[in-house]
């Protein structure tokens, strides 16, 4: 087994008297897709916000490539190459694809934005990811479909040379064809060596792409399994709390 790039040991998070994460262990591997599933309110987004440094954990340990790290701010996470693609907040409608992909870290040339270079890099990144449905990188994001928007948001993390890409419900609002397109992109991301963590309520999607499945139930990690060693019925059982995982965690 490869060394995990991310390893959480006993992370806890409370909001006032409410314990939302009750000592959670979680691992993610380079080049692998790990699905994080669980019912509404199980703590998935809270777990991710801790990894993103947006809402630091109250306690527990975070190891990155085996070494303890502190994630107190998004800057800490960004410095390690941890990027989160949020469903809705990801893009600016009034900007084009290139502007969105480089937002906040535009390439400068003699004090002004090097538009030509950014355009080439944006187009090259989309090409690498085999994105063919976007006609021009100078298209405004407002003119893109949901799937294309998600594609641009993911490509943006690739452009940042992310090592860990976290996707919170990337296909929730998408139709069948667009979902297939985004899932294919997620697979290509992993093939390039990126560790992908995907939150999804759609178990069909999960079984299609994930190498590992981790199940949160009321703030506890109740199962971490290889997708090839489990099935839909068992995972639903873990999610709803009617089935207890008996094996050793993957
Ligand atoms: N800022 C906050 N203040 C107080 N309680 C919070 C806060 N954020 C989350 N919670 C609570 O923590 C619990 C877990 O929330 P979280 O958003 O992590 O769940 P989730 O698994 O992502 O659910 P969903 O599938 O609905 O997105 C919920 O009970 C929620 O009400
Ligand atoms: Mg959530």
């Amino acid at each position: 087994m490869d060394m995990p790039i991310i390893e959480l040991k006993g992370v806890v998070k409370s909001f006032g008297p409410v314990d939302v994460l009750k000592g959670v262990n979680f691992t993610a591997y380079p080049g692998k897709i790990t699905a994080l599933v669980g019912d509404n309110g199980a703590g998935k987004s809270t777990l991710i916000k801790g990894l993103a440094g947006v809402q630091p954990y109250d306690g527990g340990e975070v190891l990155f490539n085996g070494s303890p790290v502190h994630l107190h701010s998004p800057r800490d996470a960004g410095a390690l190459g941890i990027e989160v693609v949020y469903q809705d907040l990801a893009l600016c409608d009034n900007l084009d694809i290139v502007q969105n992909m480089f937002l906040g870290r535009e390439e400068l040339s003699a004090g002004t934005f090097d538009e030509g270079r950014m355009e080439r890099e944006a187009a090259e990144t989309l090409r690498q990811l085999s994105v063919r449905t976007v006609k021009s990188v100078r298209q405004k994001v407002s003119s893109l479909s949901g799937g294309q928007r998600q594609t641009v948001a993911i490509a943006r993390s690739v452009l940042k040379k992310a090592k860990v890409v976290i996707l919170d419900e990337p296909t929730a609002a998408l139709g069948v064809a667009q979902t297939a397109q985004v899932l294919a992109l997620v697979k290509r991301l992993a093939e390039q060596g990126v560790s992908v963590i995907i939150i999804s309520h759609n178990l069909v999607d999960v079984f299609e792409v994930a190498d590992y499945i981790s199940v949160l139930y009321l703030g506890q990690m109740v199962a971490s399994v290889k997708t090839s060693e489990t099935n839909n019925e068992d995972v639903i059982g873990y999610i709803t709390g009617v089935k207890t995982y008996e094996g050793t965690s993957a």
Side-chain angles (χ1 to χ4, degrees), residues 15 18 20 38-47 49 55 169 201:
F15 294 103
V18 185
V20 174
D39 219 338
N40 296 119
K44 304 180 296 295
S45 293
T46 305
L47 192 71
K49 285 177 189 164
Q55 235 171 40
E169 294 277 354
H201 283 280

